C-alpha cells in the first residue's frame, strides 16, 4: 500500500514511530508536494478572473507544470521509503569479523548510493517548484498571494530537508567521484533554490504588508 493512501492521522503516527520509514526524506517529499499544491491553488483562483485575463494563459501553464511537480513529489514519498529501507537494514549488519566488515562495507556503499538518489530527486523537484512559485508570486491573484509565500516556505524547508538527507548518506559513501558529483549538484540546488525562495517570500510580504 502506498504511504499516501494512509489517512493523515495514520501517516503522522507511523512517521512519529520508531519505524525506519517514512523518515525525513519522505516527510520532505510530502512537505514539498503540499507547498506545490499551494501555488496551484493560487493559480486556480486566478484563472477565469477578468482582472487577470492578460496572464491567464501563463498561469494555466504554471498550473500544468505544478501538477507534474506535485505528482513527482507525491511519488517520491513512497520512492524514498523504498530506497531508504535497505540502508536502514544495512546500518544494523554485524562487524565482528573481517568477513562481516568487508560485507557490510560493500552493502553500505550500494545502499547509501541508492538512498542518496531519493533526496537528490526531491531537491531537484523542490527547485522546480520554487521557480514556479517565483512566477506565481508575480502574476497570481493578490487575493491569495499570501499562499504563494506559504507554498514557497514549504518548498524551501523540503529543499533543506532533502539536502540533510543527501549529506548524511554521502557520509557513508567511499566512492569520492560519486560524492563530489552529487555534493556539487546538491550545493547548487540549495544555493539557487534558497535564494529564489527568499526573494519570492520577500516579494509576497511586500505585496501584503500595509
Ligand atoms: N533517503 C533517505 N531517507 C531517509 O528518511 C533517511 C535517509 N535517506 N538517510 C538517513 C536518515 C536517518 N533516518 C533513520 C531512520 C531510522 C533509523 C533507525 O535506526 N531505525 C531502526 C529502528 C531502531 C529501533 O527500533 O530502535 C531500524 O530501522 O531498525 C535510523 C536513521 C532516515 N533517513
Amino acid at each position: 500500500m502506498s504511504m499516501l493512501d494512509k489517512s493523515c492521522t495514520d501517516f503522522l503516527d507511523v512517521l512519529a514511530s520508531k519505524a525506519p520509514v517514512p523518515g525525513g526524506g519522505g516527510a520532505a517529499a510530502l512537505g514539498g508536494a503540499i507547498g506545490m499544491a499551494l501555488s496551484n491553488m493560487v493559480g486556480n483562483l486566478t484563472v477565469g478572473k477578468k482582472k487577470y485575463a492578460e496572464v491567464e494563459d501563463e498561469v494555466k501553464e504554471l498550473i500544468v507544470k505544478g501538477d507534474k511537480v506535485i505528482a513527482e513529489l507525491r511519488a517520491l514519498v513512497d520512492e524514498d521509503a523504498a530506497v531508504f529501507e535497505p540502508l536502514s537494514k544495512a546500518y544494523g549488519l554485524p562487524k565482528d569479523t573481517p568477513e562481516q566488515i568487508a560485507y557490510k562495507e560493500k552493502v553500505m556503499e550500494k545502499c547509501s548510493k541508492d538512498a542518496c538518489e531519493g533526496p537528490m530527486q526531491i531537491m531537484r523537484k523542490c527547485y522546480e517548484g520554487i521557480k514556479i512559485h517565483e512566477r506565481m508570486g508575480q502574476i497570481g491573484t493578490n487575493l491569495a498571494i499570501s499562499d504563494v509565500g506559504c507554498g514557497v516556505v514549504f518548498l524551501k524547508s523540503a529543499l533543506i530537508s532533502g539536502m540533510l538527507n543527501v549529506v548524511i548518506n554521502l557520509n557513508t559513501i567511499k566512492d569520492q567521484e560519486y560524492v563530489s558529483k552529487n555534493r556539487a549538484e546538491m550545493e547548487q540546488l540549495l544555493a539557487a533554490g534558497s535564494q529564489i525562495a527568499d526573494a519570492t517570500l520577500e516579494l509576497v510580504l511586500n505585496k501584503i504588508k500595509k
Side-chain angles (χ1 to χ4, degrees), residues 40 45 50 60 62 71 130 139 154 161 164 173 180 183:
N40 270 21
L45 287 166
K50 245 190 273 163
K60 282 182 179 166
L62 292 178
I130 288 168
I139 64 177
F154 265 94
S161 302
L164 292 167
I173 296 172
S180 37
R183 181 171 290 136

Side-chain angles (χ1 to χ4, degrees), residues 137 145-146 148-149 199-209:
I145 204 68
S146 54
V148 174
T200 302
L201 181 60
E202 193 169 314
L203 174 83
V204 167
L205 262 175
N206 283 329
K207 282 191 174 189
I208 64 176
K209 249 191 327 217

Side-chain angles (χ1 to χ4, degrees), residues 179-201:
V179 170
S180 37
K181 186 165 165 277
N182 281 274
R183 181 171 290 136
E185 186 185 352
M186 173 274 283
E187 282 171 353
Q188 160 67 21
L189 287 165
L190 180 70
S194 298
Q195 193 259 319
I196 299 167
D198 291 347
T200 302
L201 181 60

Side-chain angles (χ1 to χ4, degrees), residues 3-69:
M3 299 269 178
L4 289 149
D5 293 329
K6 290 184 191 298
S7 68
C8 292
T9 306
D10 288 350
F11 184 87
L12 291 174
D13 281 347
V14 65
L15 185 60
S17 77
K18 270 210 273 187
V21 293
L30 183 60
I34 289 173
M36 194 63 248
L38 284 167
S39 167
N40 270 21
M41 183 189 83
V42 176
N44 283 313
L45 287 166
T46 308
V47 169
K49 297 279 152 60
K50 245 190 273 163
K51 190 177 165 194
Y52 297 98
E54 250 176 51
V55 293
E56 177 155 326
D57 286 348
E58 193 183 349
V59 169
K60 282 182 179 166
E61 283 169 26
L62 292 178
I63 293 171
V64 170
K65 286 185 189 161
D67 275 336
K68 275 187 74 181
V69 173

Side-chain angles (χ1 to χ4, degrees), residues 65-144:
K65 286 185 189 161
D67 275 336
K68 275 187 74 181
V69 173
I70 293 170
E72 286 159 340
L73 283 168
R74 209 167 52 194
L76 278 159
V77 177
D78 286 319
E79 281 165 35
D80 196 74
V83 294
F84 178 66
E85 201 161 25
L87 179 59
S88 77
K89 294 210 174 91
Y91 286 156
L93 287 172
K95 302 205 289 188
D96 300 326
T97 67
E99 291 76 25
Q100 285 176 347
I101 291 173
Y103 177 71
K104 183 169 185 175
E105 270 181 18
K106 213 177 98 189
V107 174
M108 283 293 294
E109 183 77 0
K110 164 89 172 81
C111 291
S112 299
K113 283 182 179 175
D114 290 345
C116 204
E117 296 302 329
M120 279 301 300
Q121 194 60 12
I122 291 167
M123 290 190 77
R124 293 182 192 113
K125 294 300 149 188
C126 287
Y127 177 77
E128 279 180 39
I130 288 168
K131 293 282 292 175
I132 296 169
H133 276 72
E134 177 185 34
R135 190 64 183 140
M136 194 64 84
Q138 292 162 355
I139 64 177
T141 173
N142 283 325
L143 207 64

